[in-house]
Each structure stands twice: as structure tokens, then as C-alpha cells.
Amino acid sequence: MKPADSPMPDSLINVSELREFTFCERSWSLARQGFAVSPEAQAQREAGVVFHEERATDAVKGHNPRTVKWIVLLVAAAILLLLLHAAHLGGK
């Protein structure tokens, strides 16, 4: 929302409004019409921002639990294949 003393016309959109629009067009539209965000909705929005920031940080660092599980599974499969191959060679 634009500040009351802003010289910007209502037809222009600033960067923070663009961010809000891309996140939720309906929320942006209601804010432009003067509807206030409830304290509960604002708390949920802030919690969502924190959640997504933490997920992004983990993704950048490579801390995806699913990735770790796949790596462990692939290493275990490789070890099993090596053991089977060694057993097969030992039997000849």
C-alpha cells in the first residue's frame, strides 16, 4: 500500500506491491481497496515468510532430508552390488 504522503499516483505500482501481487493477487487487490489485514492473517503471512526463508537456506546448503535418504540408499545399493560381485567371483 502506498503511504498517504506519497506523490505516486494510484495507477502506479511500487516494487513491494509487485511482490505482494505475485504472491497473492487477491490480497494485493484487497489492500489496494483499503481492506486491512487481520492480525491472525498477518501472523500467518510472517510465519510463511520465515518458513520459506528457512527452506531456501536449507536448499542452498544442500540440507534436503530427501536427498540424504537417496544418497544413503544409493551407497547401500552400491555396497550390496560389490558384495554380490565379490561373492560371485569367489565362487568360481
Side-chain angles (χ1 to χ4, degrees):
M1 293 189 296
K2 73 179 187 122
D5 60 348
S6 173
M8 187 172 63
D10 286 338
S11 61
L12 294 180
I13 299 172
N14 63 31
V15 175
S16 63
E17 284 185 288
L18 183 59
R19 182 194 64 180
E20 185 176 347
F21 177 84
T22 58
F23 179 73
C24 180
E25 182 180 343
R26 180 146 176 95
S27 173
W28 171 83
S29 177
L30 291 170
R32 296 267 301 181
Q33 295 173 36
F35 289 93
V37 177
S38 71
E40 295 84 15
Q42 184 61 34
Q44 288 177 344
R45 181 185 294 176
E46 290 169 3
V49 168
V50 169
F51 171 78
H52 285 95
E53 287 174 348
E54 289 172 354
R55 293 279 298 179
T57 300
D58 287 346
V60 168
K61 291 180 178 178
H63 293 151
N64 186 340
R66 197 176 332 168
T67 302
V68 172
K69 288 178 186 176
W70 274 107
I71 291 171
V72 169
L73 181 65
L74 289 173
V75 168
I79 291 171
L80 179 62
L81 286 173
L82 287 172
L83 289 173
L84 288 173
H85 183 68
H88 179 72
L89 290 178
K92 286 187 174 186

